[in-house]
Amino acid sequence: MTSQPAPAALPADFPRGVALLHDPLLNRGTGFTEAERRAFDLNGLLPPRVLSMQEHAARILENFHKKPTDLEKYVYMSDLEDRNETLFYRILIDNLDTMMPIVYTPTVGQACQQYGHIFRRPRGLFISARDRGHIADLLRRWPNDDIRVIVVTDGERILGLGDLGANGMGIPGGKLSLYTACAGIHPSTTLPITLDVGTENPTLLDDPLYIGLPQHRLQGEAYDSFIDEFMQAVTTRFPDVLVQFEDFANHHAFALLERYRTRYRVFNDDIQGTAAVTLAGLLAALRLIAAEGGPRRTLAEQRLLFLGAGEAGVGIADLVVSAMVAEGLSPEEARQRCWFVDSKGLVVRSRADLAAHKLPYAHDHAPLSDLAAAVNELRPTAIIGVSGQPRTFTRAIIESMGRHNERPIIFALSNPTSKSECTAEEAYTYTNGRAIFASGSPFPSFTLYGKTYNPGQGNNAYIFPGVGLGVVVSGARHVTDEMFGAAAHALAEQVTDDDMAAGRIYPVLSRIRDVSAAIAAKVAEIAWREGLATQPRPDDPERAIRAYMYDPQYTPLV
């Protein structure tokens, strides 16, 4: 297993003076010691006092909390990342509860919408439709040869916000910051990429400050050949890389995953990561019910109703079906436990307008026009919102779930917060505190009838960093559905008795590096067991995984 970048001796071309201060991976500003200042010609370029990382962090946090809006806090932290990545990741790791909603959902959604207007310094690679035939040349311009994780988007379906084109670059950058903070993937080995193939967003096309190509999107063969060229070029340039597809529209997401999953080291977080974090939440919810003295029910006994039949919903259902099959159901019996409502009503077999990915979940039933009718007719034990349509879990729907279930499971997973199907307060209030709630973006704790509720955040950050870490340390040639199933069970197992006592169905964020390490161990074991690994299995995998994880510190340079 290859270790994280940590050269025993500094290279001869190690930067000095101003060049060192302008390298965000190496710069530590006033944190350079007196010996380092002498060795690297920094005297006179810095104020004389040497400050510790803790003193640096205190200054950053003081100014962070003075910022009047979350978007300004996002910009402030982005500027820090551009200056001093070591300090950026130390603060992120030590303050995840505060920082994750800023560097990722929900604030990153607003940042993407305003990306061209707040743009400061390019990070990563922008590969556009104009670069067809020359993508390999662009990739050679990236200075680091050892890239292990790439997050790539074409910006067509950013969170629940739709087509943001090249403005979607905020998403790969945000995801990769979580790879480092949550799973210890060294930032020098990560690379965000946006594939700018145009946009259909009229606001962007008319915006003089839009940073992308002001043209309509590539379609059909032109799009497919562009993606093919990219995948061939990127895996040639970086042969050890894991490519995570992010925020592609439904009509491309399923096809790209199926086309490349057995050819390259790839996965789609919107399909597979969302599935795993949701399955983990369902398993933990059933544990919570039993822990409180309720009936012990298996996953195979549940009836799930999804609002939204796109990549997230179908991905969740596919993984849930696999878990139900493991509990003894046949695949057909398991699929009968999963129902969908899309923009035209209940997904049933008699409909002639169904896309291919919906057909396995089109059951024999009379048509129903909307979610409220489906809840009343099907009486699901859980409703799962992945629609991107806000406030669609109405009071009537939530109250109906409460009538049919002693502990109704209500997952409003659409991101960002403005797109959530309901709020935590609504779920708890309309069920008299009986709901087990999770959302994609965070909601604050809520007190009702003297009891405080801690809503779960079904954030993919619980899954994809650990899966990526397991793939990287094992060198797995492919990322399999079995790995995501194992990740889901590992996450559910990390929910402690204390979490349960507080009503949580996900671990506290302060433990997320432990969670990622546990997930990585499960994923890597599958790679070693199934003959997918290209790295040898160490004698103590868990210890080796921990040793691999980057811990941002000001380590002495001399």
Side-chain angles (χ1 to χ4, degrees), residues 348-372:
V348 293
R349 193 163 296 171
S350 60
R351 283 176 49 180
D353 60 348
L354 297 176
H357 64 270
K358 301 180 186 181
L359 293 176
Y361 298 99
H363 305 313
D364 287 323
H365 196 282
L368 295 173
S369 60
D370 55 29
L371 180 65

Side-chain angles (χ1 to χ4, degrees), residues 127-130 154-156 163-167 194-201 204-205 210 212-219 223 226:
I127 300 174
S128 79
R130 295 175 183 172
D154 72 352
E156 189 169 7
D163 185 349
L164 297 185
N167 283 4
T194 283
L195 302 177
D196 182 2
V197 295
T199 179
E200 301 303 319
N201 186 327
L204 297 181
L205 291 173
Y210 176 54
L213 294 179
Q215 66 182 47
H216 294 288
R217 286 183 168 272
L218 294 181
Q219 303 291 344
Y223 180 90
F226 178 82

Side-chain angles (χ1 to χ4, degrees), residues 248-298:
F248 286 74
N250 290 338
H251 58 279
H252 290 311
F254 290 104
L256 292 177
L257 181 60
E258 289 308 309
R259 185 186 311 166
Y260 298 127
R261 66 188 304 169
T262 58
R263 292 166 56 186
Y264 304 114
R265 190 181 287 115
V266 303
F267 72 90
N268 184 300
D269 186 48
D270 303 298
I271 297 173
Q272 296 162 290
T274 302
V277 78
T278 306
L279 173 58
L282 291 170
L283 295 171
L286 297 177
R287 278 183 56 202
L288 175 61
I289 293 170
E292 294 176 337
R296 294 185 178 275
R297 303 292 189 191
T298 66

Side-chain angles (χ1 to χ4, degrees), residues 338-357:
C338 299
W339 294 77
F340 283 85
V341 171
D342 64 11
S343 61
K344 297 181 180 179
L346 189 66
V347 173
V348 293
R349 193 163 296 171
S350 60
R351 283 176 49 180
D353 60 348
L354 297 176
H357 64 270

Side-chain angles (χ1 to χ4, degrees), residues 483-507:
M483 292 176 180
F484 281 98
H489 282 84
L491 174 56
E493 291 165 4
Q494 289 292 313
V495 180
T496 66
D497 291 342
D498 287 342
D499 292 326
M500 292 283 180
R504 297 188 186 95
I505 57 172
Y506 293 102

Side-chain angles (χ1 to χ4, degrees), residues 125 127 135-136 139 145 147 150 152 191 193 195 227-243 245 264-266:
L125 286 175
I127 300 174
I135 294 177
L139 290 167
D145 295 333
I147 296 298
I150 284 172
V152 60
L191 175 59
I193 295 180
L195 302 177
I227 302 295
D228 275 341
E229 181 186 352
F230 167 72
M231 288 303 301
Q232 292 168 15
V234 79
T235 52
T236 299
R237 174 72 176 88
F238 307 116
D240 296 323
V241 75
L242 165 67
V243 177
F245 292 119
Y264 304 114
R265 190 181 287 115
V266 303

